[in-house]
Amino acid sequence: MNTKFRFKKEDRIIVLTGAGISAESGLKTFRDHNGLWEEHRVEEVATPQAFQKNPEMVWRFYKQRYFQLDEVKPNSGHYALKELEEYLGKNFFIITQNVDGLHRQAGNERVLEMHGSLQQCFCSKCYAHFKMSEVDLEPAVPQCGSCGGTLRPDIVWFGEIPYFLDEIDRILKKANYFLVVGTSGSVQPAASLVYLAKRYGAATIGVNLAEPENMHYIDEFHKGRSGEILPGLVEKWIG
Ligand code: APR
């Protein structure tokens, strides 16, 4: 795997990850199986409207995904990014669309989970936040321990504003390199971050199994599985 880039310790590197980086951990991506995720069209379960109409169904879907986390662990792609953070320290950030927590489990600390986290939920009435592990998940629709309101997963659904957008803009402005891993580049605003980074002056690198939709903004593209090719690339970048 050849790359023309070499990272110096003072370079600022931002990584954007998507479902593809967790595929080799055994988690399904969203758009590689006829658009179906565990028999659901993702737009059917991942909207505030779906939750209003059928909170039991939406909770069933997210509880299943939350419990599935017990069975998965980070893969070599996640660990390669951990190595990159060890090398770059505060000059490094991961922005992830993933809600599986695998970057933190791999040891990365500078992670912005822009689409929320499966490990948390909050009350749709009083907005108190809870760890899933502290909540009674037995009822079909779990209730808030503080006010009795309806809890919802802390996931950014279609039509909602992702988290950390101000901070993301701030760090993108200073980035020398923007690396995109395992994302189809089809969901906004995450899909536009590569364009934004480029506009702010960063060199852009992609690692993906198939060409993403925003391929034209990527300066150097590596086609393949991130678990297989990221470790070698990181070696070269920081070697
Ligand atoms: N290594 C690298 N890339 C991979 C691998 C792998 N092992 N396996 C699959 N891919 C690629 C696919 O080719 C695809 O381009 O990962 C991408 C996954 O794309 P999506 O399924 O669309 O996932 P993502 O881009 O993260 O979706 C964005 O959409 O449904 C919403 O909120 C959800 O965060 C999600 C957002």
Side-chain angles (χ1 to χ4, degrees):
M1 199 57 58
N2 268 332
T3 172
K4 65 178 176 192
F5 299 116
R6 296 291 179 272
F7 300 162
K8 298 189 289 295
K9 271 185 180 294
E10 58 274 21
D11 282 332
R12 293 163 196 234
I13 322 279
I14 311 293
V15 188
L16 172 71
T17 63
I21 196 168
S22 296
E24 287 152 273
S25 294
L27 291 175
K28 281 191 182 155
T29 56
F30 296 99
R31 290 171 186 80
D32 293 329
H33 309 271
N34 305 323
L36 293 184
W37 202 97
E38 305 284 358
E39 278 91 57
H40 295 280
R41 191 159 281 285
V42 71
E43 292 80 1
E44 263 171 33
V45 279
T47 65
Q49 293 79 4
F51 187 64
Q52 217 164 13
K53 204 166 127 198
N54 195 344
E56 293 84 0
M57 189 265 285
V58 173
W59 260 113
R60 204 163 45 242
F61 174 78
Y62 282 104
K63 278 181 201 172
Q64 185 193 354
R65 296 186 61 193
Y66 169 67
F67 290 128
Q68 191 185 21
L69 296 183
D70 288 341
E71 292 148 30
V72 297
K73 44 186 197 321
N75 64 60
S76 43
H78 296 102
Y79 288 116
L81 296 183
K82 155 74 174 151
E83 212 178 316
L84 211 45
E85 181 172 336
E86 263 169 21
Y87 176 74
L88 294 158
K90 63 177 178 37
N91 288 337
F92 177 86
F93 265 105
I94 293 177
I95 303 166
T96 188
Q97 298 166 87
N98 298 344
V99 293
D100 55 34
L102 290 179
H103 287 304
R104 285 188 196 280
Q105 213 177 308
N108 279 104
E109 288 173 10
R110 302 170 69 79
V111 183
L112 300 174
E113 295 175 310
M114 70 180 294
H115 288 172
S117 165
L118 279 173
Q119 275 133 344
Q120 289 174 50
C121 58
F122 68 91
C123 175
S124 47
K125 194 169 160 205
C126 75
Y127 294 93
H129 274 74
F130 301 93
K131 285 186 181 158
M132 283 289 216
S133 56
E134 294 168 347
V135 166
D136 178 8
L137 293 175
E138 207 50 51
V141 179
Q143 303 297 303
C144 174
S146 310
C147 78
T150 302
L151 291 178
R152 61 162 272 183
D154 192 3
I155 302 290
V156 175
W157 285 327
F158 286 97
E160 297 181 326
I161 300 174
Y163 297 146
F164 306 114
L165 290 183
D166 286 350
E167 191 166 356
I168 288 171
D169 189 61
R170 189 176 56 75
I171 58 176
L172 278 191
K173 278 187 176 132
K174 296 183 191 160
N176 302 101
Y177 295 95
F178 188 75
L179 167 65
V180 201
V181 184
T183 172
S184 56
S186 55
V187 173
Q188 296 293 358
S192 287
L193 296 182
V194 61
Y195 155 74
L196 206 56
K198 204 169 165 60
R199 208 178 86 179
Y200 289 148
T204 55
I205 311 172
V207 174
N208 216 61
L209 193 54
E211 288 194 2
E213 286 185 23
N214 49 14
M215 181 69 186
H216 43 290
Y217 295 120
I218 294 176
D219 299 326
E220 182 178 284
F221 183 66
H222 300 274
K223 191 169 181 168
R225 292 190 166 75
S226 46
E228 287 170 11
I229 62 180
L230 254 189
L233 279 170
V234 168
E235 276 312 305
K236 287 192 173 144
W237 289 330
I238 69 178

